[in-house]
Amino acid sequence: MKHRPYGRRLTFLFAAMTLGLASGLVATEALFRFLEWKQKSVDRLEGSIAAIDRDERWGWKIPQGEGYQRTAEFEARWSVNSLHMNDEAFVPGEDTHKTRILALGDSKTSATGISMPDTWPKQLQNQLNRTSKKFRVYNAGTGGYSLQQYLLRLKDQGPLLKPDYVVLGFCFASDLYDLLPPGKGGWVFFENLDRDYFDFDEDGTLVHQQWRFEPPKPPATAMAAAVTEVRKDYW
């Protein structure tokens, strides 16, 4: 019986393994491409939540109006009132006889993936009103907001709403992730939007400051630098 040389068998085995690995990678890539296509074919984003409104003080806010979002994971409808809250309509003076609660937070509060009546501020309101209709919870959560913007919103809308209590929906994703002001790391979310913020001065006092974004200037080319230098020498 004639046996194949060891080298040829090793080469054949290596080729077979390479071909199998390549086939597996191609099949995996095809599978993921199909799943990605399938997910994108389901995704929908309509209405006011498809964009943001710039705000020179807060940075951004949710545009007023109705919105709808659907993905492979959830389906949700938004209803943003005149105070830019994913909440019931705001009618000035209507809630003066109620105990008013202002809920501050980010996308977990506003909330992404959940229809307006199912957000935790509205669920809190429903639970409190099980025996009497004496409570009103305002959902002031906005995606991407941090502690800086919570305080600004409280300062701006607090005098209008006059809340008896303020509840903070704390989330590590933004509350501790987007605190560093310009000069100490910059912003993480929408760093190109103007906004106000708070920082400590040299005496350790909390001060209110402003951030105005300026696009970086394009670097001068080597040719421009050389021309500048020649002109400088000439004159």
Side-chain angles (χ1 to χ4, degrees):
M1 184 176 181
K2 193 174 183 179
H3 297 280
R4 292 182 178 180
Y6 178 76
R8 293 182 61 185
R9 285 187 291 171
L10 186 61
T11 301
F12 176 79
L13 179 61
F14 178 77
M17 292 176 61
T18 302
L19 180 61
L21 179 60
S23 300
L25 290 175
V26 170
T28 303
E29 176 69 15
L31 176 61
F32 278 111
R33 285 180 179 271
F34 171 76
L35 293 176
E36 182 181 11
W37 170 82
K38 185 177 180 180
Q39 180 173 346
K40 287 183 177 180
S41 66
V42 174
D43 290 353
R44 286 180 60 188
L45 185 61
E46 302 174 354
S48 65
I49 61 171
I52 62 169
D53 278 350
R54 292 195 176 197
D55 189 286
E56 290 188 357
R57 183 168 164 85
W58 300 352
W60 64 93
K61 55 192 176 186
I62 313 171
Q64 182 179 352
E66 303 295 321
Y68 172 77
Q69 186 176 14
R70 183 182 69 186
T71 70
E73 298 178 353
F74 62 81
E75 184 175 10
R77 295 187 179 276
W78 287 48
S79 181
V80 183
N81 63 22
S82 59
L83 297 182
H84 301 276
M85 298 178 179
N86 183 30
D87 202 337
E88 307 161 32
F90 171 71
V91 180
E94 184 179 56
D95 304 318
T96 54
H97 63 288
K98 296 182 180 180
T99 299
R100 296 172 300 281
I101 302 172
L102 178 62
L104 298 169
D106 58 8
S107 58
K108 303 297 187 300
T109 300
S110 54
T112 301
I114 301 176
S115 294
M116 185 270 287
D118 298 323
T119 61
W120 71 256
K122 294 293 96 182
Q123 289 298 310
L124 174 61
Q125 177 177 289
N126 293 339
Q127 291 296 318
L128 292 173
N129 286 331
R130 291 181 67 179
T131 56
S132 63
K133 304 295 182 179
K134 296 181 179 180
F135 292 88
R136 173 67 159 96
V137 181
Y138 302 97
N139 183 359
T142 302
Y145 269 22
S146 67
L147 294 174
Q148 313 259 15
Q149 290 148 311
Y150 301 161
L151 181 54
L152 287 169
R153 190 154 196 170
L154 177 60
K155 288 167 66 71
D156 292 348
Q157 295 188 331
L160 174 65
L161 301 174
K162 294 180 173 59
D164 299 286
Y165 302 95
V166 176
V167 180
L168 176 61
F170 192 83
C171 176
F172 287 99
S174 56
D175 296 327
L176 295 182
Y177 193 56
D178 201 25
L179 281 178
L180 292 178
K184 299 180 181 178
W187 309 119
V188 176
F189 300 104
F190 300 107
E191 70 279 359
N192 62 329
L193 298 184
D194 299 343
R195 71 188 74 176
D196 289 6
Y197 68 99
F198 300 90
D199 198 4
F200 294 101
D201 62 14
E202 296 179 355
D203 299 325
T205 303
L206 188 66
V207 292
H208 186 168
Q209 300 185 6
Q210 294 180 328
W211 159 249
R212 297 296 173 257
F213 175 75
E214 294 184 5
K217 297 180 180 179
T221 62
M223 178 62 71
V227 170
T228 303
E229 189 65 27
V230 169
R231 288 177 179 171
K232 188 185 300 182
D233 291 343
Y234 177 80
W235 291 107

